[in-house]
Amino acid sequence: MGDFDVVVVGAGFAGLYALHHLRQRGHSIRCFEAASGVGGTWYWNRYPGARVDVESHEYSYSFSEELQQEWVWSEKYAAQAELLRYLNHVTDRFDLRRDIQFDTRITAAHYDEATGRWRLTTSRGETVLATYCVMATGFLSAPNKPPFKGLEKFTGRQFLTGQWPQEKVDFTGRRVGVIGTGSSAIQSIPVIAEEAAQLTVFQRTPAFSIPARNGPLDPVQDRKIKARYRELREMEHELAPGGFLLTLGEIETPTQKSFAKSTPEQRRAEFERRYRSGGLNLYLAYTDLLVNQEANDDLADFVRDKIRERVKDPVVAEKLVPRGWPILTKRLCADTNYYETYNRDNVTLVDIKNTPIEEFTATGLRVGGVDYPLDDVVFATGFDAMTGALDRIDIRGRGGKRLKEYWEAGPRTFLGFMTAGFPNLFYIDGPSSLGAVFQPVLLSQFQVNWLGDCFDWLRAEGRGPIEPTVEAEDAWIRLCAEIADATLFPQANSWYMGANIPGKPRVILTYLGGFPDYRRRFLEAAADGYFGFMVG
Ligand code: NAP
């Protein structure tokens, strides 16, 4: 039976850093990973066109200056294969592989009050003991495949974007259906369309997408950014609402300007500039886009017009134009030729908003009495976000309390990091943290560093275990809801609100108070004798 100070669950960006950092601080540690390799999101999401939509210089580790100086990204937005190469490089460079057990899923984690330790069970039937459990299980890692009627009859191939096969999938000459039009679909549709004989896209809700404007990284620009890397990282933490700020390849201080205080001409010019820069830059145009309905409407109209310009057939264009929810309250998508793909002869858009998919048949699927013959179906239907991966593990705390039951009305955490009654169990990029709205790589480093300090303190003081008080948890949940209610987020049926999964409680699943505020709360809690926590 394995016995460790720390068990880390998951070997994606967050888990790898947790393993590295906590091992360096002298803890015996083992990381368990369900996949056969490292990478998490970037291991599983191998669908055609998969790439990051935050610039690679920013969507990468900052903990080692040598690492960030030596690694050379080939494109502005790294593709999945390059990100996986990077994470394998990090794994080997810091000698992490020897402490990772692959092909092993943690199926249960039970807290033993008598010993104050966690007993974990693996999919291989092993039992492992640990003092601390660090759940780096990802917040978009439990794929959602809706239970469409008749799916078992379908004889064609089925693919899930979030669980894509290891080997290349060839769509040449095939009739392919894609269900969903979120970020994953928007990246894969243009690539699949180039290969397939016929592509039919089944769209329930159109998304807002803007051109990523990806391309090879200019070595001069690479050198310029690297010369100021430390400064860039500081600004990402201190000033950038989402933890990213590169604009047109330049380090630009994020705006403090509000839409309300600008003229229509200034707004148009700013939106155009951001749009030309590509990627998620529109988030940074004004500070009040997510709280001021008029500002939001103006930006939405701007993007709607851009969509209309990109699609030749006005009827198809109107189907692709999002309406009825504020822009940016669902994740903005960044695409390469997404809307232009609908100008191809081999691509058809089927609106299933009012006429949902009726059922699958042996040879395809049926919508509104019309049969669509398909050889392959791609489910780009998203994830049981934030809570899904944790819910799939049988986690029991004090008195056998089950986490999944305790979270029936929505996740209960303090700082999106711990739950009352579950001592020494930590979530990295967890529910009600900032993972969904702040760069998760940076957030995970901050949380893990804090954890390292916390473990040192517990060790030095001979204290433990640690868990939050119910009062602190209540206050955190209230705060998350209050901040969200002051924004436009609750208006959208997004995964941020748990609204993409039927039956899931509709509550905000992320903290919208910004990173500086979030960090302050963590640091103040530690400085104040772990205020909000109970320490044994
Ligand atoms: P998603 O944004 O949740 O999109 C899922 C799509 O499937 C939506 O269009 C949804 O329609 C549709 N859908 C779900 N259930 C359906 C049903 N029963 N019938 C018909 N349509 C259904 O999922 P995702 O595209 O995988 O993206 C999830 C998140 O992952 C993103 O928001 C982003 O944060 C991240 N991501 C990032 C990147 C990147 O960095 N480039 C790429 C991919 C994903 P409704 O909207 O009507 O529910």
Side-chain angles (χ1 to χ4, degrees):
M1 186 181 336
D3 190 335
F4 303 94
D5 294 335
V6 186
V7 157
V8 175
V9 186
F13 261 105
L16 289 174
Y17 181 62
L19 170 56
H20 169 61
H21 184 76
L22 299 174
R23 191 176 71 182
Q24 258 194 340
R25 291 177 88 140
H27 299 283
S28 69
I29 189 162
R30 165 119 319 182
C31 176
F32 290 91
E33 169 54 59
S36 303
V38 298
T41 285
W42 304 106
Y43 178 93
W44 294 107
N45 287 264
R46 292 165 191 252
Y47 60 82
R51 62 176 68 249
V52 65
D53 60 6
V54 168
E55 295 199 24
S56 308
H57 277 112
E58 306 200 274
Y59 186 85
S60 46
Y61 290 119
S62 63
F63 70 86
S64 158
E65 182 62 15
E66 295 76 29
L67 173 67
Q68 62 180 11
Q69 288 294 336
E70 78 196 11
W71 184 264
V72 181
W73 296 103
S74 70
E75 291 180 284
K76 186 170 161 189
Y77 300 104
Q80 173 270 333
E82 186 168 7
L83 280 154
L84 200 53
R85 263 201 312 282
Y86 169 75
L87 287 168
N88 273 289
H89 168 77
V90 172
T91 303
D92 293 329
R93 194 186 187 290
F94 297 97
D95 190 22
L96 304 180
R97 217 172 286 277
R98 65 183 157 93
D99 287 319
I100 308 173
Q101 184 172 323
F102 292 105
D103 299 305
T104 309
R105 188 175 284 282
I106 295 296
T107 55
H110 295 175
Y111 184 66
D112 180 351
E113 281 185 82
T115 58
R117 306 202 73 208
W118 285 90
R119 177 181 287 266
L120 297 108
T121 311
T122 76
S123 51
R124 294 164 174 252
E126 301 146 308
T127 302
V128 184
L129 295 178
T131 306
Y132 303 113
C133 251
V134 178
M135 308 306 270
T137 41
F139 58 92
L140 291 162
S141 54
N144 166 47
K145 187 174 181 187
F148 290 106
K149 190 176 157 203
L151 194 52
E152 69 290 348
K153 288 187 234 154
F154 181 59
T155 54
R157 299 187 299 178
Q158 297 180 32
F159 303 99
L160 203 51
T161 50
Q163 250 169 26
W164 202 261
Q166 299 288 299
E167 62 282 1
K168 175 171 164 36
V169 175
D170 189 2
F171 290 111
T172 310
R174 298 180 70 90
R175 295 164 305 176
V176 183
V178 173
I179 303 177
T181 48
S183 301
S184 305
I186 278 174
Q187 289 189 326
S188 55
I189 284 167
V191 186
I192 296 174
E194 284 181 12
E195 212 171 81
Q198 174 64 39
L199 173 63
T200 310
V201 177
F202 299 91
Q203 170 187 270
R204 190 164 68 180
T205 312
F208 285 99
S209 186
I210 54 167
R213 306 199 196 280
N214 185 35
L217 257 177
D218 171 6
V220 176
Q221 204 170 38
D222 180 54
R223 278 197 297 277
K224 259 171 69 183
I225 292 172
K226 284 182 173 167
R228 294 176 63 195
Y229 230 143
R230 279 178 201 272
E231 188 190 345
L232 170 65
R233 294 307 195 178
E234 258 169 45
M235 287 167 72
E236 285 166 0
H237 285 91
E238 301 300 332
L239 302 168
F244 59 88
L245 50 76
L246 287 175
T247 309
L248 287 169
E250 296 293 330
I251 299 177
E252 180 183 293
T253 309
T255 185
Q256 299 302 318
K257 286 182 291 187
S258 82
F259 176 92
K261 290 193 182 138
S262 57
T263 66
E265 294 70 33
Q266 287 170 334
R267 295 164 186 167
R268 194 63 20 174
E270 183 61 7
F271 289 159
E272 282 290 354
R273 188 176 77 88
R274 298 266 171 197
Y275 187 83
R276 268 202 317 282
S277 156
L280 304 184
N281 262 293
L282 280 171
Y283 275 104
L284 307 177
Y286 290 105
T287 54
D288 46 353
L289 291 170
L290 278 158
V291 290
N292 174 343
Q293 186 73 58
E294 189 200 340
N296 192 281
D297 288 345
D298 200 60
L299 176 60
D301 282 343
F302 171 84
V303 177
R304 288 186 187 112
D305 285 345
K306 295 290 184 194
I307 295 171
R308 292 184 181 105
E309 283 169 19
R310 295 174 65 185
V311 184
K312 283 192 192 140
D313 181 336
V315 177
V316 177
E318 284 316 305
K319 280 194 205 170
L320 288 163
V321 167
R323 293 181 184 83
W325 50 275
I327 189 170
L328 310 182
T329 56
K330 286 186 176 193
R331 182 66 145 45
L332 188 62
C333 303
D335 72 271
T336 302
N337 291 329
Y338 174 62
Y339 294 109
E340 291 77 4
T341 298
Y342 293 95
N343 299 332
R344 296 173 65 104
D345 292 336
N346 69 334
V347 177
T348 309
L349 179 65
V350 178
D351 188 343
I352 55 169
K353 180 82 186 167
N354 298 318
T355 324
I357 293 171
E358 252 167 75
E359 62 174 335
F360 273 80
T361 63
T363 54
L365 61 80
R366 190 172 300 137
V367 178
V370 179
D371 279 308
Y372 293 89
L374 299 170
D375 302 312
D376 301 320
V377 174
V378 173
F379 294 88
T381 39
F383 298 88
D384 184 354
M386 307 304 294
T387 51
L390 292 165
D391 276 353
R392 289 170 199 202
I393 302 172
D394 174 17
I395 300 175
R396 299 186 204 179
R398 285 188 194 283
K401 174 166 150 182
R402 288 172 191 261
L403 189 73
K404 195 173 171 185
E405 283 172 14
Y406 190 53
W407 284 9
E408 230 161 37
R412 293 184 53 85
T413 71
F414 176 45
L415 296 168
F417 193 58
M418 291 195 86
T419 298
F422 296 81
N424 290 353
L425 179 85
F426 308 89
Y427 322 116
I428 307 298
D429 294 331
S432 317
S433 75
L434 283 122
V437 289
F438 187 74
Q439 243 240 70
V441 183
L442 300 185
L443 178 66
S444 59
Q445 289 181 154
F446 167 74
Q447 290 181 323
V448 168
N449 292 344
W450 188 90
L451 208 48
D453 292 342
C454 172
F455 290 175
D456 280 358
W457 181 80
L458 291 171
R459 193 161 41 185
E461 300 283 318
R463 303 276 300 273
I466 183 167
E467 68 184 285
T469 64
V470 174
E471 294 72 34
E473 194 176 272
D474 280 340
W476 183 251
I477 297 166
R478 253 196 326 274
L479 182 66
C480 288
E482 278 166 16
I483 296 177
D485 286 345
T487 73
L488 306 175
F489 274 92
Q491 292 184 34
N493 292 325
S494 65
W495 60 260
Y496 298 130
M497 296 297 303
N500 65 323
I501 302 291
K504 195 165 170 171
R506 192 186 177 101
V507 293
I508 187 73
L509 294 174
T510 184
Y511 178 65
L512 297 169
F515 180 75
D517 177 75
Y518 185 73
R519 179 182 50 190
R520 180 184 58 75
R521 289 170 187 277
F522 262 90
L523 298 179
E524 281 180 7
D528 194 6
Y530 289 86
F531 180 78
F533 294 92
M534 290 190 298
V535 187

